[in-house]
Each structure stands twice: as structure tokens, then as C-alpha cells.
Amino acid sequence: MGLASRPDARTVSYEPQGNEGWVATRLDFLVNWGRANSLWPMPFGTACCAIEFMATAASRFDLARFGMERMSFSPRQADVLICAGRVPFKLAPIIRRIWQQMPQPKWCISMGACASTGGMFDNYAVVQGIDTIIPVDVYVPGCPPRPEGLIYGIRMLQEKVLNERRMDNRLRDEMSPDPSSQLYISPAAIDELGEPFGNSVHQTRSAP
Amino acid sequence: MTGKFETVSAGSALPANDAPVTPHGIPHRGGAVNPAAAALGASFPGAIVRTEVVWGETTIIVVPGRILEVMQWLHDDPDQRYDFLSDVTAVEYRDLDRPVEVVWHLRSLPFRRFLRIKAQLPRNAPLQVPSVWSIWKSADWIERECYDMFGIRFVGHPDLRRILMWEQYKEGYPLRKDFPLRGRFSRSEQLRQALVQNPEAKYSMEELSIADAFEDLPEDMRRRIGSGERTGE
């Protein structure tokens, strides 16, 4: 760890002649490979970028090639928050809450000029970049970005995921919940917000 | 389906075969005046300031204090029947000598007529007009929107709160001429105030229809509502 030079993250060795069929690799690589190729996006589409996002997910550009065909409309089952479109101040506490509801490990893509910087909406009503509210991993420029642009951003995110280290827990550090904060959501409130959730009756409650 | 199409004119006061015609050749000023203007002048002497016809649409400027009775008459009179309030908005002019105008757009579906009513509010008095919510229930949200953006008080509105901005918005009324485009506070202050809003605080108890059922609610929900959680404060 630390300053030691890292071995190639993609190294996979196996023995094709052996009848056992075993594979030796690094745990980091295996876990990251699984994560990077099964990212479930949480679409947060508020404007025209969402149209391009839908085009990206549809058959012509086919986001399923990268393991993202499963749109997660519940933040509790999502890995990537894709914010496509402008976020007004009235939505700020809502996107913050959605981000807090997503389980770790989680990433965020800010799609388009408005989500990244406020874009042309430099006015009283629009948040000037969602990174003032939640951490962002990849910014996709464009107004709106073409599907190729979004796919390029997603590939960049996959690259980032592939190079993460499990021992490096700074990546997953979060503010510990402070019950005296106004942003704190009690488990009871989470339960109520998450009312229609999942397919299983055992899936409906947050941890006590 | 067999047979020819037949014109259905449910509720129309016009003959069934009197199909709507796209108007053309409309003069900028003048032209046919909506018959409501003359009828209003006869029924409410002193309430009508003046009448304008611009691009074929009649605008009647009414004394602000008599808006409610004029609107009630326009809605009820069998020869007018303005049964659809399509918009309420306001105009503030850059010229500070001109009054602020409140505009109502009325439509008479049975007669296929359009009418614009204006009230001019002087600058040196509180900006308020009577609410027409008692006549058209659709006035509820559009009057709230007008109040939110222009700060005009609609007296008699049952629930005059902000509707586009959040309830504790402190910066003023965004569509007024003296409102700076980027708002009055700094970005960080705006964000801080926005983030302490409660996302659940958008509905009043009446809208949720839980006021009547309050006693039947779960105990924790009663406690949260009782502690004023709706307001996010």
C-alpha cells in the first residue's frame, strides 16, 4: 500500500492446460471488475439531457453493452447517480437526500453543462453545479451531450472504478450522520420515504 | 364505425353547424369589440375605466375594488357565461409612474369568446386585489403563482402561499423589476437556505386530506405533524 509501486491492476494468470480450471488474480481486480461492469444507474433527469440519456439507454446506443441496462428507480439499489439536467434550488434538498439514500459504493456522473455548472441558467433559481451539493466523479460536457459523450463519461467512470483499491478507505469516507443536523434523516423517515420499495416484503425497512 | 361524422356541440350556446373560423385580416387597434364591454358598462356604471381592442382581443380595465362583482356577473350572466379562467398574471412596467396591472384571461366556452380583464394597482398602495377563487376554483394555484412571482395579495384566497419557490423563500418576488436576476443573497447563502428545506414540506394538511383523519394516523406521524415538521423549521 501507500508509496509502494502497484502491480498491474489487470493481471490475470491462469493455467489452460490444468484440469482444475483455476484462475489467480488480485482481489481488487476481481471486485472492481465486477463492480465496473454491473453499474446500476439512478437516472435523475430534469431537462433535455434526460432525452439524450434515454437515447443512450435505448437500442441504438445500447447502454446494456456496459452492464448498465438496469435503470434503478430506487436510489437504494443504485450505484451511479446520473444527474441529467438543471437542478433548481427547490430540488437541492431532494437530490441530496437521494444521494444519501444510495448505498456505498456509489458514484455520481454530472451530465451536461447545467448539472455541472448551472450552464446558461445563472439566475436566482438554479443550483450552480451539483458538486456544491454532492460529490461528483465524472463531468460530461455538452448542451446536451450526445450519447457518445455520455458513454465516454461512463467508460471513464469504469476506468476509475477499475483502479480503486479496497484498502484505501478514504474513497468511501462519508460524513457520519449527526442527529442534530437538519440534514439528518431518521430511520423512521427513511422507512416512510421508501414506502414502495423492491419486490420483497422483507426489503421494505431500513436498519433500526 | 359507420356514417358521417357529426359535429358535437355539447354545452355550446351557438348553432351546431356554426363551425369556428380562423380569423384573418385583424387590425392592430380597433375592430370588433367583445359584447361584454357594452353590457358591463350598462350594468356597472363607474366600474369600467376604459376598453381597448388590440389584435382583435378586447381588454376591459376595471376598478380594482369592483373586480369580484364584475367577474361574478361575467360568470353568471346567461349572455356571457365566462366559465373558464385560463390565466391570472401581472405586469410591472419599467416606467415607475405606470401602475402595476393584474390580468385575468377569461374564456367563454359556450360562446367561443375571449376576454381580458385588467386592474391597475397604484404604486403607493399595497398591491392587493380580490381573489376570484370563489368563482373559479382554478384560480387557486394561478393566484398563488402570481403572488409568488409578483407579491400581489389576493384577498379572500383560501391558502395564499408560495407555489414555485419554497415557503420560507426570503429574497422577495422574482419577477418584479427591482429583483436582481441572480437573487439578493450569495450563492452559498442561497444553497444553505435551500438545503435546510424539508422536501416533504410541499403539501398542506388540507391538500393531503389528512386533517380530517388526523386521529386515525399512526402515532409517530401524528407526533411529527404535531411538532410542525411540515414547515421544515
PDB file of all heavy atoms in Angstrom, chain B residues 198-228:
ATOM      1  N   ASN B 198     -37.272  21.178   4.084  1.00  0.00           N
ATOM      2  CA  ASN B 198     -37.745  19.814   4.220  1.00  0.00           C
ATOM      3  C   ASN B 198     -38.409  19.409   2.913  1.00  0.00           C
ATOM      4  O   ASN B 198     -39.380  20.030   2.502  1.00  0.00           O
ATOM      5  CB  ASN B 198     -38.749  19.747   5.365  1.00  0.00           C
ATOM      6  CG  ASN B 198     -39.223  18.339   5.618  1.00  0.00           C
ATOM      7  OD1 ASN B 198     -38.880  17.422   4.889  1.00  0.00           O
ATOM      8  ND2 ASN B 198     -40.011  18.175   6.646  1.00  0.00           N
ATOM      9  N   PRO B 199     -37.891  18.380   2.227  1.00  0.00           N
ATOM     10  CA  PRO B 199     -38.505  18.001   0.957  1.00  0.00           C
ATOM     11  C   PRO B 199     -39.958  17.585   1.086  1.00  0.00           C
ATOM     12  O   PRO B 199     -40.688  17.560   0.114  1.00  0.00           O
ATOM     13  CB  PRO B 199     -37.655  16.813   0.499  1.00  0.00           C
ATOM     14  CG  PRO B 199     -36.401  16.926   1.240  1.00  0.00           C
ATOM     15  CD  PRO B 199     -36.719  17.556   2.540  1.00  0.00           C
ATOM     16  N   GLU B 200     -40.377  17.257   2.287  1.00  0.00           N
ATOM     17  CA  GLU B 200     -41.764  16.823   2.441  1.00  0.00           C
ATOM     18  C   GLU B 200     -42.709  17.985   2.704  1.00  0.00           C
ATOM     19  O   GLU B 200     -43.906  17.772   2.880  1.00  0.00           O
ATOM     20  CB  GLU B 200     -41.874  15.848   3.612  1.00  0.00           C
ATOM     21  CG  GLU B 200     -41.144  14.555   3.361  1.00  0.00           C
ATOM     22  CD  GLU B 200     -41.066  13.741   4.632  1.00  0.00           C
ATOM     23  OE1 GLU B 200     -42.093  13.231   5.044  1.00  0.00           O
ATOM     24  OE2 GLU B 200     -39.972  13.652   5.205  1.00  0.00           O
ATOM     25  N   ALA B 201     -42.182  19.188   2.769  1.00  0.00           N
ATOM     26  CA  ALA B 201     -42.994  20.309   3.230  1.00  0.00           C
ATOM     27  C   ALA B 201     -43.727  20.998   2.100  1.00  0.00           C
ATOM     28  O   ALA B 201     -43.911  22.197   2.117  1.00  0.00           O
ATOM     29  CB  ALA B 201     -42.106  21.315   3.963  1.00  0.00           C
ATOM     30  N   LYS B 202     -44.129  20.262   1.089  1.00  0.00           N
ATOM     31  CA  LYS B 202     -44.777  20.909  -0.046  1.00  0.00           C
ATOM     32  C   LYS B 202     -46.287  20.940   0.058  1.00  0.00           C
ATOM     33  O   LYS B 202     -46.929  21.694  -0.627  1.00  0.00           O
ATOM     34  CB  LYS B 202     -44.381  20.193  -1.337  1.00  0.00           C
ATOM     35  CG  LYS B 202     -42.934  20.403  -1.714  1.00  0.00           C
ATOM     36  CD  LYS B 202     -42.706  20.055  -3.150  1.00  0.00           C
ATOM     37  CE  LYS B 202     -42.749  18.566  -3.348  1.00  0.00           C
ATOM     38  NZ  LYS B 202     -41.681  17.877  -2.635  1.00  0.00           N
ATOM     39  N   TYR B 203     -46.855  20.109   0.894  1.00  0.00           N
ATOM     40  CA  TYR B 203     -48.301  19.992   0.895  1.00  0.00           C
ATOM     41  C   TYR B 203     -48.861  20.425   2.245  1.00  0.00           C
ATOM     42  O   TYR B 203     -48.302  20.114   3.275  1.00  0.00           O
ATOM     43  CB  TYR B 203     -48.724  18.558   0.614  1.00  0.00           C
ATOM     44  CG  TYR B 203     -48.151  18.030  -0.663  1.00  0.00           C
ATOM     45  CD1 TYR B 203     -47.100  17.136  -0.646  1.00  0.00           C
ATOM     46  CD2 TYR B 203     -48.630  18.463  -1.884  1.00  0.00           C
ATOM     47  CE1 TYR B 203     -46.563  16.664  -1.819  1.00  0.00           C
ATOM     48  CE2 TYR B 203     -48.093  18.005  -3.061  1.00  0.00           C
ATOM     49  CZ  TYR B 203     -47.057  17.109  -3.015  1.00  0.00           C
ATOM     50  OH  TYR B 203     -46.516  16.652  -4.178  1.00  0.00           O
ATOM     51  N   SER B 204     -49.963  21.109   2.172  1.00  0.00           N
ATOM     52  CA  SER B 204     -50.645  21.417   3.411  1.00  0.00           C
ATOM     53  C   SER B 204     -51.450  20.191   3.817  1.00  0.00           C
ATOM     54  O   SER B 204     -51.685  19.272   3.043  1.00  0.00           O
ATOM     55  CB  SER B 204     -51.568  22.607   3.215  1.00  0.00           C
ATOM     56  OG  SER B 204     -52.606  22.278   2.338  1.00  0.00           O
ATOM     57  N   MET B 205     -51.875  20.190   5.055  1.00  0.00           N
ATOM     58  CA  MET B 205     -52.659  19.048   5.521  1.00  0.00           C
ATOM     59  C   MET B 205     -53.958  18.942   4.743  1.00  0.00           C
ATOM     60  O   MET B 205     -54.479  17.859   4.524  1.00  0.00           O
ATOM     61  CB  MET B 205     -52.942  19.189   7.005  1.00  0.00           C
ATOM     62  CG  MET B 205     -51.750  18.864   7.859  1.00  0.00           C
ATOM     63  SD  MET B 205     -52.055  19.088   9.598  1.00  0.00           S
ATOM     64  CE  MET B 205     -53.143  17.748   9.954  1.00  0.00           C
ATOM     65  N   GLU B 206     -54.484  20.074   4.302  1.00  0.00           N
ATOM     66  CA  GLU B 206     -55.733  20.021   3.546  1.00  0.00           C
ATOM     67  C   GLU B 206     -55.507  19.320   2.209  1.00  0.00           C
ATOM     68  O   GLU B 206     -56.322  18.524   1.762  1.00  0.00           O
ATOM     69  CB  GLU B 206     -56.260  21.436   3.293  1.00  0.00           C
ATOM     70  CG  GLU B 206     -56.741  22.146   4.542  1.00  0.00           C
ATOM     71  CD  GLU B 206     -55.593  22.645   5.383  1.00  0.00           C
ATOM     72  OE1 GLU B 206     -54.469  22.722   4.850  1.00  0.00           O
ATOM     73  OE2 GLU B 206     -55.801  22.950   6.573  1.00  0.00           O
ATOM     74  N   GLU B 207     -54.354  19.640   1.574  1.00  0.00           N
ATOM     75  CA  GLU B 207     -54.096  19.006   0.289  1.00  0.00           C
ATOM     76  C   GLU B 207     -53.930  17.505   0.449  1.00  0.00           C
ATOM     77  O   GLU B 207     -54.312  16.729  -0.408  1.00  0.00           O
ATOM     78  CB  GLU B 207     -52.851  19.605  -0.352  1.00  0.00           C
ATOM     79  CG  GLU B 207     -53.113  20.952  -0.957  1.00  0.00           C
ATOM     80  CD  GLU B 207     -51.823  21.665  -1.290  1.00  0.00           C
ATOM     81  OE1 GLU B 207     -50.887  21.651  -0.483  1.00  0.00           O
ATOM     82  OE2 GLU B 207     -51.759  22.245  -2.373  1.00  0.00           O
ATOM     83  N   LEU B 208     -53.351  17.099   1.512  1.00  0.00           N
ATOM     84  CA  LEU B 208     -53.164  15.679   1.729  1.00  0.00           C
ATOM     85  C   LEU B 208     -54.415  15.003   2.250  1.00  0.00           C
ATOM     86  O   LEU B 208     -54.445  13.790   2.396  1.00  0.00           O
ATOM     87  CB  LEU B 208     -52.026  15.462   2.729  1.00  0.00           C
ATOM     88  CG  LEU B 208     -50.648  15.842   2.219  1.00  0.00           C
ATOM     89  CD1 LEU B 208     -49.657  15.833   3.358  1.00  0.00           C
ATOM     90  CD2 LEU B 208     -50.210  14.875   1.160  1.00  0.00           C
ATOM     91  N   SER B 209     -55.448  15.768   2.567  1.00  0.00           N
ATOM     92  CA  SER B 209     -56.712  15.248   3.093  1.00  0.00           C
ATOM     93  C   SER B 209     -56.498  14.412   4.337  1.00  0.00           C
ATOM     94  O   SER B 209     -57.172  13.416   4.553  1.00  0.00           O
ATOM     95  CB  SER B 209     -57.450  14.416   2.043  1.00  0.00           C
ATOM     96  OG  SER B 209     -57.705  15.173   0.921  1.00  0.00           O
ATOM     97  N   ILE B 210     -55.513  14.800   5.126  1.00  0.00           N
ATOM     98  CA  ILE B 210     -55.304  14.038   6.348  1.00  0.00           C
ATOM     99  C   ILE B 210     -55.743  14.818   7.572  1.00  0.00           C
ATOM    100  O   ILE B 210     -55.702  14.303   8.676  1.00  0.00           O
ATOM    101  CB  ILE B 210     -53.831  13.619   6.521  1.00  0.00           C
ATOM    102  CG1 ILE B 210     -52.943  14.836   6.485  1.00  0.00           C
ATOM    103  CG2 ILE B 210     -53.422  12.629   5.484  1.00  0.00           C
ATOM    104  CD1 ILE B 210     -51.497  14.515   6.753  1.00  0.00           C
ATOM    105  N   ALA B 211     -56.182  16.061   7.366  1.00  0.00           N
ATOM    106  CA  ALA B 211     -56.594  16.823   8.534  1.00  0.00           C
ATOM    107  C   ALA B 211     -57.778  16.151   9.213  1.00  0.00           C
ATOM    108  O   ALA B 211     -57.824  16.048  10.438  1.00  0.00           O
ATOM    109  CB  ALA B 211     -56.945  18.243   8.123  1.00  0.00           C
ATOM    110  N   ASP B 212     -58.704  15.651   8.408  1.00  0.00           N
ATOM    111  CA  ASP B 212     -59.885  15.021   8.990  1.00  0.00           C
ATOM    112  C   ASP B 212     -59.538  13.690   9.643  1.00  0.00           C
ATOM    113  O   ASP B 212     -60.134  13.290  10.628  1.00  0.00           O
ATOM    114  CB  ASP B 212     -60.940  14.786   7.903  1.00  0.00           C
ATOM    115  CG  ASP B 212     -61.452  16.105   7.357  1.00  0.00           C
ATOM    116  OD1 ASP B 212     -61.348  17.105   8.087  1.00  0.00           O
ATOM    117  OD2 ASP B 212     -61.940  16.126   6.216  1.00  0.00           O
ATOM    118  N   ALA B 213     -58.553  13.024   9.046  1.00  0.00           N
ATOM    119  CA  ALA B 213     -58.210  11.696   9.530  1.00  0.00           C
ATOM    120  C   ALA B 213     -57.070  11.740  10.527  1.00  0.00           C
ATOM    121  O   ALA B 213     -56.413  10.726  10.755  1.00  0.00           O
ATOM    122  CB  ALA B 213     -57.829  10.812   8.349  1.00  0.00           C
ATOM    123  N   PHE B 214     -56.826  12.883  11.109  1.00  0.00           N
ATOM    124  CA  PHE B 214     -55.644  13.032  11.956  1.00  0.00           C
ATOM    125  C   PHE B 214     -55.626  12.003  13.081  1.00  0.00           C
ATOM    126  O   PHE B 214     -54.598  11.403  13.380  1.00  0.00           O
ATOM    127  CB  PHE B 214     -55.618  14.444  12.526  1.00  0.00           C
ATOM    128  CG  PHE B 214     -54.396  14.754  13.310  1.00  0.00           C
ATOM    129  CD1 PHE B 214     -53.197  15.011  12.664  1.00  0.00           C
ATOM    130  CD2 PHE B 214     -54.420  14.777  14.691  1.00  0.00           C
ATOM    131  CE1 PHE B 214     -52.064  15.301  13.383  1.00  0.00           C
ATOM    132  CE2 PHE B 214     -53.287  15.055  15.405  1.00  0.00           C
ATOM    133  CZ  PHE B 214     -52.110  15.319  14.758  1.00  0.00           C
ATOM    134  N   GLU B 215     -56.774  11.761  13.683  1.00  0.00           N
ATOM    135  CA  GLU B 215     -56.815  10.849  14.823  1.00  0.00           C
ATOM    136  C   GLU B 215     -56.517   9.412  14.408  1.00  0.00           C
ATOM    137  O   GLU B 215     -56.102   8.603  15.225  1.00  0.00           O
ATOM    138  CB  GLU B 215     -58.178  10.931  15.514  1.00  0.00           C
ATOM    139  CG  GLU B 215     -58.451  12.281  16.159  1.00  0.00           C
ATOM    140  CD  GLU B 215     -57.380  12.650  17.168  1.00  0.00           C
ATOM    141  OE1 GLU B 215     -56.929  11.771  17.933  1.00  0.00           O
ATOM    142  OE2 GLU B 215     -56.965  13.830  17.172  1.00  0.00           O
ATOM    143  N   ASP B 216     -56.745   9.090  13.142  1.00  0.00           N
ATOM    144  CA  ASP B 216     -56.525   7.720  12.693  1.00  0.00           C
ATOM    145  C   ASP B 216     -55.102   7.463  12.246  1.00  0.00           C
ATOM    146  O   ASP B 216     -54.756   6.340  11.912  1.00  0.00           O
ATOM    147  CB  ASP B 216     -57.472   7.396  11.525  1.00  0.00           C
ATOM    148  CG  ASP B 216     -58.922   7.551  11.941  1.00  0.00           C
ATOM    149  OD1 ASP B 216     -59.182   7.338  13.135  1.00  0.00           O
ATOM    150  OD2 ASP B 216     -59.761   7.883  11.085  1.00  0.00           O
ATOM    151  N   LEU B 217     -54.274   8.515  12.212  1.00  0.00           N
ATOM    152  CA  LEU B 217     -52.913   8.334  11.710  1.00  0.00           C
ATOM    153  C   LEU B 217     -52.084   7.550  12.707  1.00  0.00           C
ATOM    154  O   LEU B 217     -52.410   7.499  13.897  1.00  0.00           O
ATOM    155  CB  LEU B 217     -52.257   9.700  11.488  1.00  0.00           C
ATOM    156  CG  LEU B 217     -52.806  10.509  10.327  1.00  0.00           C
ATOM    157  CD1 LEU B 217     -52.185  11.887  10.337  1.00  0.00           C
ATOM    158  CD2 LEU B 217     -52.487   9.818   9.033  1.00  0.00           C
ATOM    159  N   PRO B 218     -50.991   6.937  12.238  1.00  0.00           N
ATOM    160  CA  PRO B 218     -50.082   6.284  13.182  1.00  0.00           C
ATOM    161  C   PRO B 218     -49.510   7.301  14.167  1.00  0.00           C
ATOM    162  O   PRO B 218     -49.403   8.490  13.865  1.00  0.00           O
ATOM    163  CB  PRO B 218     -48.982   5.706  12.285  1.00  0.00           C
ATOM    164  CG  PRO B 218     -49.555   5.676  10.927  1.00  0.00           C
ATOM    165  CD  PRO B 218     -50.585   6.733  10.855  1.00  0.00           C
ATOM    166  N   GLU B 219     -49.128   6.790  15.293  1.00  0.00           N
ATOM    167  CA  GLU B 219     -48.758   7.672  16.393  1.00  0.00           C
ATOM    168  C   GLU B 219     -47.529   8.506  16.035  1.00  0.00           C
ATOM    169  O   GLU B 219     -47.470   9.688  16.342  1.00  0.00           O
ATOM    170  CB  GLU B 219     -48.513   6.823  17.645  1.00  0.00           C
ATOM    171  CG  GLU B 219     -48.465   7.630  18.934  1.00  0.00           C
ATOM    172  CD  GLU B 219     -47.071   8.109  19.238  1.00  0.00           C
ATOM    173  OE1 GLU B 219     -46.125   7.424  18.792  1.00  0.00           O
ATOM    174  OE2 GLU B 219     -46.922   9.170  19.884  1.00  0.00           O
ATOM    175  N   ASP B 220     -46.541   7.887  15.340  1.00  0.00           N
ATOM    176  CA  ASP B 220     -45.322   8.633  15.034  1.00  0.00           C
ATOM    177  C   ASP B 220     -45.614   9.745  14.031  1.00  0.00           C
ATOM    178  O   ASP B 220     -45.038  10.832  14.109  1.00  0.00           O
ATOM    179  CB  ASP B 220     -44.235   7.702  14.506  1.00  0.00           C
ATOM    180  CG  ASP B 220     -44.665   7.009  13.219  1.00  0.00           C
ATOM    181  OD1 ASP B 220     -45.869   6.734  13.085  1.00  0.00           O
ATOM    182  OD2 ASP B 220     -43.800   6.767  12.374  1.00  0.00           O
ATOM    183  N   MET B 221     -46.549   9.488  13.105  1.00  0.00           N
ATOM    184  CA  MET B 221     -46.871  10.531  12.129  1.00  0.00           C
ATOM    185  C   MET B 221     -47.589  11.690  12.797  1.00  0.00           C
ATOM    186  O   MET B 221     -47.346  12.853  12.503  1.00  0.00           O
ATOM    187  CB  MET B 221     -47.718   9.925  11.010  1.00  0.00           C
ATOM    188  CG  MET B 221     -47.754  10.785   9.764  1.00  0.00           C
ATOM    189  SD  MET B 221     -48.814  10.108   8.512  1.00  0.00           S
ATOM    190  CE  MET B 221     -47.873   8.704   7.985  1.00  0.00           C
ATOM    191  N   ARG B 222     -48.476  11.371  13.747  1.00  0.00           N
ATOM    192  CA  ARG B 222     -49.155  12.447  14.475  1.00  0.00           C
ATOM    193  C   ARG B 222     -48.149  13.307  15.236  1.00  0.00           C
ATOM    194  O   ARG B 222     -48.242  14.519  15.268  1.00  0.00           O
ATOM    195  CB  ARG B 222     -50.148  11.839  15.460  1.00  0.00           C
ATOM    196  CG  ARG B 222     -51.559  11.754  14.909  1.00  0.00           C
ATOM    197  CD  ARG B 222     -52.488  11.226  15.936  1.00  0.00           C
ATOM    198  NE  ARG B 222     -52.240   9.803  16.203  1.00  0.00           N
ATOM    199  CZ  ARG B 222     -52.687   9.162  17.272  1.00  0.00           C
ATOM    200  NH1 ARG B 222     -53.391   9.804  18.175  1.00  0.00           N
ATOM    201  NH2 ARG B 222     -52.427   7.888  17.443  1.00  0.00           N
ATOM    202  N   ARG B 223     -47.156  12.622  15.797  1.00  0.00           N
ATOM    203  CA  ARG B 223     -46.164  13.365  16.575  1.00  0.00           C
ATOM    204  C   ARG B 223     -45.362  14.287  15.656  1.00  0.00           C
ATOM    205  O   ARG B 223     -45.098  15.435  15.976  1.00  0.00           O
ATOM    206  CB  ARG B 223     -45.233  12.377  17.282  1.00  0.00           C
ATOM    207  CG  ARG B 223     -44.381  13.018  18.363  1.00  0.00           C
ATOM    208  CD  ARG B 223     -43.542  11.975  19.078  1.00  0.00           C
ATOM    209  NE  ARG B 223     -42.651  11.273  18.145  1.00  0.00           N
ATOM    210  CZ  ARG B 223     -42.711   9.968  17.911  1.00  0.00           C
ATOM    211  NH1 ARG B 223     -43.594   9.200  18.523  1.00  0.00           N
ATOM    212  NH2 ARG B 223     -41.864   9.401  17.056  1.00  0.00           N
ATOM    213  N   ARG B 224     -45.018  13.769  14.462  1.00  0.00           N
ATOM    214  CA  ARG B 224     -44.212  14.587  13.551  1.00  0.00           C
ATOM    215  C   ARG B 224     -45.002  15.768  13.033  1.00  0.00           C
ATOM    216  O   ARG B 224     -44.492  16.878  12.921  1.00  0.00           O
ATOM    217  CB  ARG B 224     -43.709  13.712  12.392  1.00  0.00           C
ATOM    218  CG  ARG B 224     -42.642  12.757  12.823  1.00  0.00           C
ATOM    219  CD  ARG B 224     -42.311  11.777  11.738  1.00  0.00           C
ATOM    220  NE  ARG B 224     -42.085  12.464  10.480  1.00  0.00           N
ATOM    221  CZ  ARG B 224     -42.191  11.883   9.290  1.00  0.00           C
ATOM    222  NH1 ARG B 224     -42.551  10.640   9.234  1.00  0.00           N
ATOM    223  NH2 ARG B 224     -41.959  12.554   8.212  1.00  0.00           N
ATOM    224  N   ILE B 225     -46.264  15.547  12.708  1.00  0.00           N
ATOM    225  CA  ILE B 225     -47.067  16.672  12.220  1.00  0.00           C
ATOM    226  C   ILE B 225     -47.301  17.661  13.363  1.00  0.00           C
ATOM    227  O   ILE B 225     -47.233  18.869  13.169  1.00  0.00           O
ATOM    228  CB  ILE B 225     -48.396  16.147  11.649  1.00  0.00           C
ATOM    229  CG1 ILE B 225     -48.118  15.333  10.391  1.00  0.00           C
ATOM    230  CG2 ILE B 225     -49.333  17.292  11.331  1.00  0.00           C
ATOM    231  CD1 ILE B 225     -49.313  14.603   9.875  1.00  0.00           C
ATOM    232  N   GLY B 226     -47.531  17.084  14.558  1.00  0.00           N
ATOM    233  CA  GLY B 226     -47.758  17.972  15.694  1.00  0.00           C
ATOM    234  C   GLY B 226     -46.554  18.835  16.028  1.00  0.00           C
ATOM    235  O   GLY B 226     -46.694  19.945  16.532  1.00  0.00           O
ATOM    236  N   SER B 227     -45.362  18.321  15.732  1.00  0.00           N
ATOM    237  CA  SER B 227     -44.162  19.113  16.029  1.00  0.00           C
ATOM    238  C   SER B 227     -43.839  20.101  14.920  1.00  0.00           C
ATOM    239  O   SER B 227     -42.768  20.689  14.913  1.00  0.00           O
ATOM    240  CB  SER B 227     -42.971  18.174  16.238  1.00  0.00           C
ATOM    241  OG  SER B 227     -42.655  17.528  15.031  1.00  0.00           O
ATOM    242  N   GLY B 228     -44.753  20.269  13.979  1.00  0.00           N
ATOM    243  CA  GLY B 228     -44.552  21.272  12.944  1.00  0.00           C
ATOM    244  C   GLY B 228     -43.552  20.878  11.894  1.00  0.00           C
ATOM    245  O   GLY B 228     -42.896  21.719  11.300  1.00  0.00           O
TER     246      GLY B 228
END
